[in-house]
Amino acid sequence: MRTHSFLTVLLWSSVFYVIHMTPSQKRTNKHSHSERITGLSENDGKTLHRTKRGWMWNQFFLLEEYTGPDTQYVGKLHTDQDKGDGNLKYILTGDGAGSLFIIDENTGDIHAAKKLDREEKSLYVLRAKAIDRKTGRQVEPESEFIIKIHDINDNEPKFTKDMYTASIPEMSGVGTSVIQVTATDADDANYGNSAKVVYSILQGQPYFSVDPETGIIKTALPDMSRENREQYQVVIQAKDMGGQMGGLSGTTTVNITLTDVNDNPPRFPQSSYQFSSPESAPPGTPLGRIKANDPDVGENAEIEYSISNGDGSDMFDIITDKDTQEGIITVKKHLDFENKVLYTLRVEATNTHPDPRFLQLGPFKDTALVKISVEDVDEPPVFSRPWYLIEVDEDAKEGSIIGQVVAQDPDVAKNAIKYSVDRHTDLDRIFNIYSGNGSLFLSKPLDREETPWHNITVIATEINNPKQSSQIPVFIRILDINDHAPEFASYYETFVCENAKAGQLIQTVSAIDKDQPARGHKFFFELVPEFAVHPNFSVVDNKDNTAGIMTRRNGYSRSKTSTYLLPIIIFDNDYPIQSSTGTLTIRVCACDSRGNMQSCSAEALLLPAGLSTGALVAILLCIIILLVLVVLFTALKRQRKKEPLIISKDDVRDNIVTYNDEGGGEEDTQAFDIGTLRNPEAREESKMRRDVIPETIFQIRRTAPLWENIDVQDFIHRRLKENDLDPAAPPYDSLATYAYEGNDSIANSLSSLESLTTEGNQDYDYLSDWGPRFKKLADMYGGEDSDRD
């Protein structure tokens, strides 16, 4: 009979449970037909039949954190094909195969090579198979099984924070929630009580309690006061295994702060206070500070101070310092020791933010008595009025008394006082004062039309103590008297037409008066007595401070009389009556039918004295323009354009030559004759003009001997000074630049100015021996072609 092999695996847990396998699916290999097995049972000799089937691996459990001396045995792989001859090889693959789980490939025994931690990995999926060593073929199909790690209580509960911070208002009721703490346990919550956490309080009783299941911390005592104790430290424990014996635990600290509420009224530390103030203290002067204590903090301790009553409530005030919560007592009005020496105040301190929950505890305010004594000081004199107004007629005589000021010493001593006028307010010294009684009198005459008001300052000083003085303003009004005569309000340019009719109005005149009578101005107009009956014109008073000029006949002739002078008397109605005579000039002009002036005689046009403002301005402008033109013409004439000395390169002045080769050195004196500087009078004939091109540019000049050059430097300085001081020197000779470089030159003269005057050729081949610096000169003068060119 043919026998089919099958694989069996026996697994033993650490507690020595026998793990059996149960069939779950058919095998998929080629051996799929039924197999008949014959055997004898224990009860009878019946023949047994079974069907070939596949295998499913169940979940198996293995304890974590195994600490035995040997490796932890997991199970055994075995197949009935294994004859024990070592031909089969067992292979294990999957999670942790070869590292965590190792298999004996000959026997199929599986062991856990390391300690397993369920919190790192809770299950492992493995696959097992058996192969023939010779053929390398599987004798059984690969099967999969799962190993779950069985949890043990090896992790203590851990809080989410190492330290918690919480706050709660003081005076809270019992059971008020403060904060919730949370602890977690890494053990398996589905297996046993390893992860079941229970909370308890280790420190903080009897003030606080904790809910064992939720971890909510609550108050346990009523009316806890922040003023008594503000900070609390509570230690909470979290224990697993439901809090039973042997469970693991963890702790955390909770810092709880009681926040302030306004449950305390302000209280003065003493019932009365004493302050003093000099009577000279100005309003607003601080006298002292008082403070009511409030154990609360923040806005709950803010206090407002006020004066509730007392005989000094009008004389003093109290303000609150927001930074220090103090009441500052200040002077409200001027104090007078001679009037009152002691004041009493009732000061009240009130909380600005009371809490309605605690109003039943009593009024949140307190009062204290404040006594203020006034100290006597030496005060300056006090005038009877804050200011004085004095009226005086402008015709008052010098030395006449115009008024009086009165001051007295407010102190008990009643010191004598002297008076004086502040001369800064009376620079013209018009007024003066008697130092003994304060009477003001005139020192100079007054003129209301010039200065209608005078504002002076009078000083009162104690004779025994000159430092004590006071000032008072005195306003002096000058009363008007009729001392000015009225006059025409303006200059009138009056004309009458030649064809005018009798009774025609030709001009309306008015008057002004510098005086200001109390009843107002009233002017009267009439002709002077000599012209009371004027044959040509008449004056009609309009009774409104104006008068009309009327014609008295028909027709006027310019050829006979071109201008009429009409004197008019102007009176006022004040006392004494003042009058003046104004002459009205009337020109005769030609007019059209409507009375519009067309032309007047030339003589009439010239009669008005003086010129108008517009004409004067026009004449002045013309004069200024003429002066400006004259100045510009003179300036342009003086600025003469100078002709340049050198117009081009070919225009040579004196011995100045433009060339691109180097000069002859210090001993090349042909460029300038130094002898001319030594004796210019003796060599006038050899001078060349600088404003024309010289006929001979290059001349052979004698080289000065060495002994003649000894004092050249001093000679040049002397000549330069004479040249600078000579006012007759031309402009082109006003600046002379000379240089003195020494007596000799190693290279001798390199100048070609002298050599060009000779008719013979000169050999310049030696220039080539002087090096590259003289190469250009050698090229220029080295050949005969260049000379001929």
Side-chain angles (χ1 to χ4, degrees):
M1 180 179 71
R2 185 178 179 181
T3 304
H4 294 275
S5 62
F6 62 94
L7 178 65
T8 61
V9 178
L10 299 179
L11 300 176
W12 286 268
S13 66
S14 59
V15 292
F16 303 105
Y17 290 110
V18 179
I19 309 301
H20 298 281
M21 297 178 293
T22 59
S24 63
Q25 61 182 3
K26 288 187 177 182
R27 309 178 78 178
T28 58
N29 58 6
K30 62 183 180 178
H31 305 288
S32 60
H33 58 276
S34 298
E35 179 182 27
R36 183 176 179 178
I37 301 176
T38 303
L40 297 178
S41 65
E42 296 178 356
N43 299 326
D44 52 19
K46 295 181 179 181
T47 301
L48 300 178
H49 297 272
R50 70 175 181 179
T51 303
K52 203 70 173 177
R53 54 182 177 167
W55 300 90
M56 183 192 75
W57 299 85
N58 288 331
Q59 296 181 358
F60 306 109
F61 292 90
L62 189 65
L63 287 177
E64 68 169 335
E65 302 294 344
Y66 175 73
T67 57
D70 300 326
T71 59
Q72 189 175 6
Y73 186 72
V74 179
K76 183 181 181 64
L77 291 180
H78 184 73
T79 177
D80 56 359
Q81 296 288 337
D82 189 359
K83 304 301 183 179
D85 53 2
N87 289 332
L88 295 183
K89 179 181 180 181
Y90 297 96
I91 299 175
L92 184 67
T93 60
D95 295 339
S99 58
L100 295 178
F101 303 101
I102 57 177
I103 186 171
D104 189 333
E105 61 182 16
N106 295 320
T107 62
D109 293 327
I110 302 174
H111 292 82
K114 299 179 181 179
K115 289 196 304 181
L116 302 178
D117 189 354
R118 188 200 65 83
E119 287 72 33
E120 293 182 1
K121 190 173 181 65
S122 60
L123 61 88
Y124 297 87
V125 179
L126 298 171
R127 291 176 295 279
K129 60 183 177 180
I131 61 174
D132 191 326
R133 292 181 182 271
K134 295 179 180 179
T135 62
R137 299 178 58 185
Q138 293 184 187
V139 297
E140 289 290 341
E142 186 177 66
S143 297
E144 184 177 89
F145 64 95
I146 296 174
I147 299 177
K148 278 193 174 183
I149 307 303
H150 187 71
D151 183 46
I152 63 173
N153 189 18
D154 59 342
N155 291 280
E156 72 278 1
K158 293 184 178 180
F159 286 92
T160 55
K161 295 181 180 180
D162 295 334
M163 181 176 293
Y164 291 83
T165 302
S167 62
I168 185 174
E170 63 174 333
M171 309 299 290
S172 297
V174 177
T176 303
S177 178
V178 179
I179 192 175
Q180 183 178 15
V181 296
T182 303
T184 58
D185 196 320
D187 292 327
D188 190 358
N190 299 320
Y191 182 77
N193 292 329
S194 298
K196 186 177 181 180
V197 178
V198 174
Y199 301 94
S200 60
I201 184 168
L202 299 182
Q203 177 183 327
Q205 294 175 328
Y207 307 103
F208 299 94
S209 62
V210 63
D211 189 295
E213 296 182 357
T214 62
I216 297 176
I217 301 175
K218 301 178 180 180
T219 58
L221 286 181
D223 301 333
M224 286 190 294
S225 176
R226 184 200 63 83
E227 290 73 29
N228 295 333
R229 183 177 178 182
E230 184 177 3
Q231 299 286 340
Y232 294 87
Q233 191 174 75
V234 179
V235 178
I236 303 297
Q237 181 189 65
K239 190 174 184 180
D240 60 11
M241 298 298 292
Q244 297 178 2
M245 185 77 67
L248 303 178
S249 63
T251 60
T252 187
T253 302
V254 182
N255 293 323
I256 301 175
T257 303
L258 295 184
T259 59
D260 185 60
V261 297
N262 194 3
D263 58 338
N264 294 281
R267 291 289 182 263
F268 283 105
Q270 57 193 72
S271 60
S272 63
Y273 297 85
Q274 183 75 32
F275 298 101
S276 62
S277 172
E279 61 175 336
S280 60
T285 302
L287 302 181
R289 292 172 176 254
I290 61 175
K291 183 177 182 180
N293 298 325
D294 192 334
D296 297 323
V297 295
E299 67 175 13
N300 296 323
E302 292 182 1
I303 301 174
E304 187 70 28
Y305 296 90
S306 62
I307 298 176
S308 58
N309 54 47
D311 57 1
S313 57
D314 295 335
M315 305 299 295
F316 301 94
D317 197 3
I318 186 169
I319 58 177
T320 303
D321 189 337
K322 299 298 183 181
D323 296 330
T324 62
Q325 297 300 316
E326 294 177 320
I328 305 174
I329 299 175
T330 61
V331 178
K332 188 176 182 182
K333 294 182 180 180
H334 287 285
L335 304 175
D336 189 359
F337 173 82
E338 290 73 24
N339 185 25
K340 192 176 181 63
V341 298
L342 182 63
Y343 294 90
T344 303
L345 305 175
R346 178 66 64 176
V347 177
E348 185 178 89
T350 308
N351 272 141
T352 57
H353 300 88
D355 194 332
R357 297 177 298 172
F358 306 103
L359 292 179
Q360 71 277 5
L361 299 179
F364 278 73
K365 60 182 179 180
D366 195 15
T367 60
L369 187 65
V370 178
K371 295 180 180 181
I372 302 175
S373 58
V374 181
E375 298 175 350
D376 185 26
V377 295
D378 189 5
E379 298 177 275
V382 178
F383 286 91
S384 60
R385 300 179 188 178
W387 48 271
Y388 289 87
L389 174 62
I390 299 176
E391 295 181 345
V392 57
D393 293 332
E394 65 175 323
D395 62 346
K397 304 300 181 181
E398 296 182 18
S400 59
I401 296 177
I402 62 174
Q404 185 181 19
V405 296
V406 178
Q408 63 178 358
D409 184 9
D411 299 323
V412 178
K414 300 298 180 182
N415 293 322
I417 297 172
K418 66 177 180 178
Y419 302 90
S420 61
V421 176
D422 186 357
R423 292 305 173 188
H424 294 91
T425 61
D426 184 26
L427 298 177
D428 296 331
R429 295 183 175 269
I430 299 175
F431 305 94
N432 211 331
I433 192 171
Y434 290 108
S435 61
N437 57 12
S439 297
L440 288 165
F441 62 92
L442 292 177
S443 298
K444 293 181 180 181
L446 302 174
D447 187 358
R448 188 204 65 83
E449 287 72 29
E450 181 180 353
T451 307
W453 284 89
H454 293 271
N455 302 327
I456 65 174
T457 300
V458 175
I459 303 173
T461 307
E462 291 186 8
I463 296 178
N464 296 335
N465 187 6
K467 294 182 179 180
Q468 296 297 334
S469 63
S470 57
Q471 300 178 350
I472 195 72
V474 179
F475 307 105
I476 302 174
R477 179 183 179 185
I478 310 302
L479 300 179
D480 184 45
I481 61 171
N482 194 22
D483 58 346
H484 290 83
E487 57 187 14
F488 281 129
S490 63
Y491 174 78
Y492 295 99
E493 295 183 356
T494 307
F495 70 93
V496 62
C497 296
E498 289 182 311
N499 56 358
K501 304 297 182 181
Q504 183 177 342
L505 177 65
I506 63 172
Q507 183 70 57
T508 300
V509 295
S510 61
I512 58 174
D513 193 339
K514 294 181 180 179
D515 296 322
Q516 290 184 352
R519 294 174 296 176
H521 290 290
K522 184 64 177 177
F523 302 118
F524 303 96
F525 302 87
E526 62 181 35
L527 292 174
V528 296
E530 293 81 2
F531 296 88
V533 181
H534 198 282
N536 297 308
F537 304 98
S538 64
V539 176
V540 178
D541 195 336
N542 298 326
K543 308 301 182 182
D544 60 353
N545 295 337
T546 63
I549 311 301
M550 312 293 293
T551 58
R552 296 192 64 182
R553 65 185 178 89
N554 295 326
Y556 295 86
S557 176
R558 285 188 293 168
S559 59
K560 294 182 179 180
T561 304
S562 61
T563 302
Y564 294 92
L565 299 178
L566 185 63
I568 301 175
I569 300 176
I570 308 173
F571 300 89
D572 59 20
N573 67 337
D574 205 355
Y575 180 82
I577 296 176
Q578 299 288 343
S579 64
S580 67
T581 300
T583 301
L584 190 64
T585 302
I586 304 174
R587 295 181 297 164
V588 180
C589 301
C591 302
D592 57 12
S593 59
R594 296 182 180 180
N596 297 322
M597 181 182 66
Q598 291 182 339
S599 64
C600 299
S601 62
E603 292 81 1
L605 293 175
L606 295 176
L607 279 177
L611 295 175
S612 63
T613 304
L616 292 176
V617 172
I619 294 174
L620 183 60
L621 287 176
C622 292
I623 295 174
I624 293 174
I625 292 174
L626 288 176
L627 290 176
V628 171
L629 291 176
V630 171
V631 171
L632 290 177
F633 179 76
T634 305
L636 292 176
K637 190 175 180 180
R638 289 183 177 180
Q639 291 181 354
R640 292 178 300 177
K641 184 177 180 181
K642 297 181 179 180
E643 181 182 358
L645 295 178
I646 300 176
I647 300 175
S648 65
K649 293 184 178 180
D650 297 331
D651 187 6
V652 181
R653 295 293 185 269
D654 196 27
N655 56 347
I656 301 176
V657 180
T658 301
Y659 56 93
N660 295 328
D661 57 328
E662 297 185 8
E666 294 84 345
E667 292 189 353
D668 186 6
T669 58
Q670 303 303 323
F672 190 86
D673 188 2
I674 198 68
T676 304
L677 291 177
R678 295 182 178 276
N679 190 9
E681 294 81 7
R683 305 196 179 188
E684 288 293 335
E685 66 280 358
S686 64
K687 288 185 177 179
M688 295 184 180
R689 295 182 58 185
R690 300 191 178 200
D691 55 345
V692 296
I693 301 176
E695 295 178 358
T696 304
I697 298 178
F698 304 105
Q699 296 181 0
I700 301 175
R701 298 187 177 181
R702 178 179 58 87
T703 302
L706 181 61
W707 61 269
E708 294 185 9
N709 294 332
I710 295 176
D711 58 346
V712 169
Q713 186 173 4
D714 295 337
F715 175 78
I716 289 175
H717 283 271
R718 185 170 63 255
R719 288 299 189 186
L720 180 60
K721 184 176 180 181
E722 294 176 358
N723 212 359
D724 291 339
L725 298 178
D726 186 7
Y732 46 80
D733 285 338
S734 61
L735 177 62
T737 303
Y738 307 101
Y740 179 75
E741 297 185 0
N743 298 324
D744 200 358
S745 173
I746 301 176
N748 296 324
S749 175
L750 296 179
S751 174
S752 61
L753 298 179
E754 181 180 358
S755 60
L756 287 178
T757 58
T758 60
E759 295 181 358
N761 293 331
Q762 187 174 355
D763 186 12
Y764 293 98
D765 293 337
Y766 63 90
L767 294 176
S768 301
D769 300 331
W770 287 3
R773 296 181 59 185
F774 297 88
K775 185 176 183 303
K776 188 173 182 179
L777 288 176
D779 294 340
M780 293 176 60
Y781 298 96
E784 296 180 356
D785 294 338
S786 61
D787 296 338
R788 288 192 297 269
D789 291 339

